[in-house]
Amino acid sequence: MEQQMDAFWQKMKQEMSAQTREITEAVTKKVSESINEKLTALVEENNNLKTEVKTLQDKIKLMEDHKRKNNIIFFGMQEEQNNKSPIDSITKLLEKYMNIHINPQEINNVYRLGAKQDNKPRPILVTFTTNWRKNEILKNKKKLDHEIYIKEDLSKEILEKRKELLPQLQEERAKGKICYFVKDKIVIKESKDDKRDKRKRDCSTSPNNQPTLAPKKINKTNNMLNYMVRGRSASLSTPPTTKNDQ
């Protein structure tokens, strides 16, 4: 009788153990399926949010580029007295060196960038009412006095990319190549006296007949890019004095 009871209890334990395993496996499977369903929904929602954020970022970038499209930044112009607007200085400068007469109505906005410092003229940002007027001035920028030069108003992202690509541009120019920044790209073009293949090579670049970057201009270009990357609220610590660095 005792042996039968022992056998009975052993059988009961085995059955209970098997049932426990089955219940555990079933519960685990159910919980796992529920978690997977929730994770799938969360992953899909996260991907949708990423897409929306990317779309909004692209829209913001387009808006910023549109806002900057008529802007030119003037470097090296002396500060006005008594907080006078620099608009008169800009119009006189363009008429004197470029023979371009600007009506005040053609300038939408003009102001100095950064905090005022002794003996360090701040750059001037000028917003023109039309893009063709801005381009006309840029085409004639080499006519300016050697201490004054102008640049396009570019976004922080483009300036950071240019700063990153600057060593490559300097290296290619040292080889005698014609190199020029276009947005966040470099266009490299074979020099005229090069007998090799004349095809353009796009290594993040755009064609333009610009002189080889002289060693003295390298630090000035770096200074300008550093200033622009820091933002409009910063002041130019060492303002460059040439207008042809790109």
Side-chain angles (χ1 to χ4, degrees), residues 96-113:
K96 177 180 178 181
Y97 291 100
M98 299 183 182
N99 197 27
I100 296 176
H101 178 70
I102 301 291
N103 293 319
Q105 294 81 4
E106 293 184 85
I107 296 179
N108 189 45
N109 203 0
V110 54
Y111 56 89
R112 293 273 181 181
L113 300 175

Side-chain angles (χ1 to χ4, degrees), residues 5 22 28 54 61 70 91 98 107-108 113 115 129-130 134 148 150 187 190 198 204 212 214 218 222 226 230-231:
M5 289 297 295
E22 290 177 2
T28 302
K54 179 64 167 59
K61 186 177 183 301
N70 294 340
T91 54
M98 299 183 182
I107 296 179
N108 189 45
L113 300 175
T129 56
T130 58
K134 165 204 166 182
I148 301 173
I150 59 179
V187 172
E190 299 288 347
K198 301 297 180 182
S204 194
T212 301
I218 293 176
N222 271 313
N226 285 332
R230 287 198 303 269

